[in-house]
Amino acid sequence: MGDEEDRFAPLCDGYGKDHYDKSSKTFFNPWNRESKHLGTFMGINLKEFGKFASMRLATDPEEPHATSESVLDEKLPVVSFNASECSKPPDKGIRCVWLGHATCLVQFDRISVLTDPALSPRCAPVQAWGLPKRLRKIPCPVEELPPIDIVVVSHNHYDHLDYNTIKVMGDEEDRFAPLCDGYGKDHYDKSSKTFFNPWNRESKHLGTFMGINLKEFGKFASMRLATDPEEPHATSESVLDEKLPVVSFNASECSKPPDKGLGLPKRLRKIPCPVEELPPIDIVVVSHNHYDHLDYNTVKILNERQGSRIHWFVGLGLEKWFKDMGCENVKEMDWWDEHELPNKVKVIFTPTQHWSKRTAFDTNKTLWGSWIVKGPNHSFMHVGDTGYCQTFKTIGDVHGPFDLAAVPIGAYHPRGFLRPQHVNPEEAVQIHQEIRAKKSIAIHWGTFQLGKEPFLEPPKLLKESLKDKGVDENDFFTSKIGEVLHLFS
C-alpha cells in the first residue's frame, strides 16, 4: 500500500530539469517513481503487463463492429486532403488539419508546422505484413504536403517518427536544390564510364535503377491514358484527322533552303513523307539515343541517299554507332563544344536534363543534350528532350537570343514520375523565355503516346501557360503535321 501511494508522489517541481543519467547516458522521467523507469525492465509492472498481453480488444456494445471498414467510413471518415487550400498559411487565424494519430499540419503567421511526421501505412521499422497498421488510410501522400517550415518530433517511437515520411520530405526539399551552376561541366563518372545529370539530386541518376522512384513508377505503370471530357474520343482516327491533320509534304517547295527566312516541315503524328523525299540535308543533330529520337532505318536511308553530304552531330559516345552505320562526317561533341563548318555555320552542343539508353547494357553511356545552329543570318536551337533545370538560363545568357527554337511540350503526366525527364507546357514556356527565343515551335507531342495525359491536352495547356506568363501565342506555336511555315521572310 505504501508503494501504491509513493509511486505517484511528485519527485520534482514542474520544470523537471534533472532528467539525464550520466552513468547510463540515458534520459528518464523525473516526475514520480512510476514514470522514472518507463521503457526499461525496471519500469515494467509484470502483473499489469501480463494482463495487457493476454487481453483481447475491448468492444463497445453500441458499436460491436466498430473496426469494420463500413462502420469506420461512417463514424471516422477520412476527408481527402485539399492540397490547394493548404498550399500556404492563411492570411488570418490558424488552419489545422489532423492527418491521423499525432500528425497535424498547423498553419498560422506565415509558417507551416508539421507534428510527429508518421504518414506510412504501418508504424514499424519496416513496412511488412503483420506489423501495426493504420486503421484509416492516409489522407494525403507526403508529396502533397505544402512547403513545411517547422517539423516538431515528440519522441522516436515508430508511430510518431517514420523513416519513409522523413525521407520523402527531405528528398522533396533537397532533390530539387541545384548542385551546380548552369554550365554543368562535371557530368561524367570515370569509374562507371557513364554520363549523368549534374543539375540536382532528382535528375542525377535518371535512367538508372537508383533514379527510379518505385512508388511513382508503380502509379505510372498502372495508370490508364487520361481522357479529356471535351474530347473523349481524341485518339480515334477521325478526330485526329480533324484536330491534328497531316498535310502532304511538299517536296518541291522544300527542295532547297529559302532565300529568306526559315522553312519548317515537321514529322509528327504519322510520317508526312518518306525519308527518300527529304531535300538535300546539310546537318543532322541528334539530341540522344532513345528510339523516338534516333531511328536506325531513317539514318540508314539518309546515309545511303545523301552520304558524305551530311554532317552528323552527336553527343559523346555516339560516334561509333554512326560509323558502324557507314556514316562519314560524324562529329562527336561534349556540352559547350563548338564546331564551325566552312560556310560560316557554327554548331554548338549544350546541356539538357535527360538520360540515354538503347540496350539493357548501355545506360547513360552516351551523352544527351540540345543543339544550337548559328548561320550568318539566323539561329536555331533544338532543345530535344528534357526536364527543366537551371542550364537554360545559362544557355540563353551565353548563346541567345535565337530566331527559332524547337521546344518539347508533351509526355509529362504523371508529374511525380516524368517531371525529371520531360517538361510540361508551363516549363516549356519558361525555357522559351530563358533561352530568349524569338519564336518557338512545339515538339514532342502528338506522335507517340509516352505520357498519360490526354492526347490533345499539351497544346491547350500551352495556350494557358502563354497567357499566364504574358507571352504572345504567335511567338510559341503548334503547327499542322507536314505544314511548311515561313518565318522572318
Side-chain angles (χ1 to χ4, degrees), residues 26 79 99-100 114 118 137 163 270 275 295 350 354 371 433 469 482 488:
T26 58
V79 178
L99 299 173
L114 189 71
K137 67 179 182 180
Y163 172 84
K270 65 180 182 181
V275 182
D295 174 57
T350 43
H354 205 58
W371 292 95
Q433 293 176 309
K469 293 180 180 289
F488 309 107

Coordinates of all heavy atoms in Angstrom, one line a residue, residues 26 79 99-100 114 118 137 163 270 275 295 350 354 371 433 469 482 488:
T26 N 21.4 7.9 -20.4 CA 20.0 7.8 -20.8 C 19.2 8.9 -20.2 O 19.6 9.4 -19.1 CB 19.4 6.4 -20.5 OG1 19.5 6.2 -19.0 CG2 20.1 5.3 -21.2
V79 N -11.3 12.5 -44.8 CA -11.6 13.5 -45.8 C -10.4 13.7 -46.7 O -9.2 13.8 -46.2 CB -11.9 14.9 -45.1 CG1 -12.2 16.0 -46.1 CG2 -13.1 14.7 -44.1
L99 N -4.0 14.7 -39.5 CA -3.6 13.8 -40.6 C -3.6 12.3 -40.0 O -3.2 11.4 -40.7 CB -2.3 14.1 -41.2 CG -2.2 15.5 -41.9 CD1 -0.8 15.8 -42.3 CD2 -3.2 15.5 -43.1
G100 N -4.1 12.2 -38.8 CA -4.1 10.9 -38.2 C -3.1 10.7 -37.1 O -2.0 11.3 -37.2
L114 N 4.5 21.0 -39.0 CA 4.1 19.6 -39.0 C 4.5 18.9 -37.8 O 5.7 19.0 -37.4 CB 4.7 18.8 -40.3 CG 4.1 17.4 -40.5 CD1 2.7 17.5 -41.0 CD2 5.0 16.7 -41.5
A118 N 4.5 10.9 -39.3 CA 4.3 9.5 -39.5 C 3.2 9.2 -40.5 O 2.0 9.1 -40.1 CB 4.0 8.8 -38.1
K137 N -7.0 5.1 -43.8 CA -6.0 5.3 -44.8 C -5.4 6.7 -44.6 O -5.9 7.6 -43.9 CB -6.6 5.2 -46.2 CG -7.6 6.3 -46.5 CD -8.2 6.2 -47.9 CE -9.2 7.3 -48.2 NZ -9.7 7.2 -49.5
Y163 N 10.5 6.8 -40.8 CA 11.6 6.9 -41.7 C 11.2 7.4 -43.1 O 11.7 8.3 -43.7 CB 12.4 5.6 -41.8 CG 13.5 5.6 -42.8 CD1 14.7 6.1 -42.6 CD2 13.2 5.1 -44.1 CE1 15.7 6.1 -43.5 CE2 14.2 5.1 -45.1 CZ 15.4 5.6 -44.8 OH 16.4 5.6 -45.8
K270 N 1.7 10.9 -88.1 CA 2.2 9.9 -89.0 C 3.2 10.6 -89.9 O 3.2 11.8 -90.1 CB 1.1 9.2 -89.7 CG 0.3 10.1 -90.7 CD -0.8 9.3 -91.4 CE -1.5 10.1 -92.4 NZ -2.6 9.4 -93.1
V275 N 11.4 9.1 -96.1 CA 12.7 9.7 -96.0 C 13.3 10.1 -97.3 O 14.0 11.1 -97.5 CB 13.6 8.7 -95.2 CG1 15.0 9.3 -95.0 CG2 13.0 8.3 -93.9
D295 N 16.5 6.9 -85.1 CA 15.9 5.7 -85.8 C 16.8 5.1 -86.8 O 17.3 5.8 -87.7 CB 14.6 6.2 -86.5 CG 14.0 5.1 -87.3 OD1 13.7 4.0 -86.7 OD2 13.8 5.3 -88.5
T350 N 24.8 21.9 -76.3 CA 24.5 22.5 -75.0 C 23.8 21.5 -74.1 O 23.2 20.5 -74.6 CB 23.7 23.8 -75.1 OG1 22.7 23.6 -76.1 CG2 24.6 24.9 -75.5
H354 N 18.4 14.8 -69.0 CA 17.7 13.7 -69.6 C 18.6 12.4 -69.3 O 19.3 12.4 -68.3 CB 17.5 13.9 -71.1 CG 16.3 13.0 -71.6 ND1 15.0 13.1 -71.1 CD2 16.3 12.1 -72.6 CE1 14.3 12.3 -71.7 NE2 15.0 11.6 -72.6
W371 N 20.9 21.3 -79.1 CA 21.8 21.8 -80.2 C 21.5 23.2 -80.7 O 20.3 23.6 -80.8 CB 21.8 20.9 -81.4 CG 22.3 19.5 -81.2 CD1 21.7 18.4 -80.8 CD2 23.7 19.1 -81.3 NE1 22.6 17.3 -80.6 CE2 23.8 17.8 -80.9 CE3 24.9 19.8 -81.6 CZ2 25.0 17.1 -80.9 CZ3 26.1 19.2 -81.6 CH2 26.2 17.8 -81.2
Q433 N 11.3 31.4 -72.7 CA 11.7 32.8 -72.2 C 13.2 32.8 -71.8 O 13.9 33.8 -72.1 CB 10.9 33.1 -71.0 CG 9.4 33.4 -71.3 CD 8.6 33.6 -70.1 OE1 8.6 32.9 -69.1 NE2 7.8 34.7 -70.1
K469 N 1.8 33.7 -68.5 CA 3.1 34.3 -68.5 C 3.3 35.6 -69.4 O 4.3 36.1 -69.5 CB 4.2 33.3 -68.9 CG 4.4 32.2 -67.9 CD 5.4 31.2 -68.3 CE 5.6 30.0 -67.3 NZ 6.2 30.5 -66.0
G482 N 3.3 18.3 -91.1 CA 3.8 18.4 -92.5 C 3.6 19.8 -93.1 O 4.0 20.1 -94.2
F488 N 10.2 35.0 -90.6 CA 11.2 36.1 -90.8 C 11.5 36.3 -92.3 O 12.6 36.7 -92.7 CB 12.5 35.7 -90.1 CG 12.4 35.4 -88.7 CD1 12.5 34.1 -88.2 CD2 12.1 36.4 -87.7 CE1 12.3 33.7 -86.9 CE2 11.9 36.0 -86.4 CZ 12.1 34.7 -86.0

